[in-house]
């Protein structure tokens, strides 16, 4: 473990928390992912070997524990790890307020978005019977254009390949639009009115979209930079114009 060579508690905490990828691994653990594969789905750009190394380091620091179960190895936060939850939340809140994404191509990833949606979906707001919801991203290549959420017995799973059932609900939009909706940058009503997002399916399922599609926990956080430059359009940067 690299050390700052200081006794300062902030330095000691940063040795554990501030290494690249570690906050995102903690994010996945905090929202319920416990298997190696599920953790990797939340950080797909991270190599599996590096993820394994980070998990070992967090275990050595007492942040998580490995538990062997009949389904394989599971990773669970210790009390020390759960205490980092407020740090993760506050960092995300600060970034959403002061350094939020402008949703450029380099920051958009359909796999990450759909995994985020799957992790926050309110499965109990959907019919109790097996229900398949298809997302179609019209701006993506054919091999990554369609994704499916499968809800059954109160649990939702994500399928990047056709699960074989006809979808009860079909949502068609672009990756950027759906990401902005999930992050609270655009309202569902506004994109429906503009036609940027369309929904095909039974009326009752269409009407309950806002009930099962839970937005990012950071969606309610206001953009402080936009408020700061209100009334001063000359201060708006190019990246901020692109995000509007």
């Amino acid at each position: 473990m690299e050390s700052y060579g200081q006794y300062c508690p902030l330095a000691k905490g940063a040795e554990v928390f501030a290494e690249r990828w570690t906050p995102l691994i903690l994010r996945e653990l905090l929202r319920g992912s416990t298997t190696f594969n599920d953790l990797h789905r939340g950080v797909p750009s991270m190599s599996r070997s590096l993820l394994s190394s980070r998990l070992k380091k967090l275990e050595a620091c007492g942040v998580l524990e490995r538990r062997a179960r009949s389904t394989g190895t599971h990773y669970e936060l210790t009390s020390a790890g759960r205490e980092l939850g407020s740090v993760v939340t506050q960092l995300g809140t600060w970034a959403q307020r002061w350094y939020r994404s402008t949703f450029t191509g380099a920051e958009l990833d359909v796999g990450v978005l759909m995994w985020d949606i799957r992790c926050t979906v309110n499965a109990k707001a959907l019919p109790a019977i097996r229900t398949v919801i298809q997302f179609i991203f019209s701006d993506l290549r054919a091999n990554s254009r369609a994704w499916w959420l499968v809800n059954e017995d109160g649990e939702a799973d994500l399928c990047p390949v056709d699960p074989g059932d006809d979808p009860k609900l079909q949502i068609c939009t672009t990756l950027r639009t759906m990401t902005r909706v999930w992050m609270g940058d655009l309202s569902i009503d506004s994109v429906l009115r503009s036609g940027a997002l369309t929904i095909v399916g039974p009326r009752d399922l269409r009407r309950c979209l806002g009930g099962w599609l839970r937005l990012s926990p950071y969606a309610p956080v206001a953009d402080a930079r936009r408020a700061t430059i209100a009334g001063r359009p000359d201060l708006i940067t190019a990246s901020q114009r692109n995000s509007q």
Side-chain angles (χ1 to χ4, degrees), residues 189-207:
D189 287 344
S190 70
V191 294
L192 286 172
R193 284 196 304 268
S194 69
L197 183 148
T198 59
I199 308 174
V200 177
R203 180 181 174 84
D204 58 335
L205 279 180
R206 286 187 282 115
R207 292 184 66 180

Side-chain angles (χ1 to χ4, degrees), residues 9 34 72 90 92 103-104 122 125 135 147 197 218 222 226 229:
T34 62
Q90 189 57 42
F103 307 103
T104 57
N122 180 14
F135 286 76
W147 293 72
L197 183 148
Y218 302 111
R226 186 171 295 178
I229 61 177

Side-chain angles (χ1 to χ4, degrees), residues 136-149:
I136 298 176
F137 297 97
S138 57
D139 56 324
L140 300 186
R141 295 179 180 178
N143 63 351
S144 59
R145 185 175 300 154
W147 293 72
W148 293 262
L149 280 178

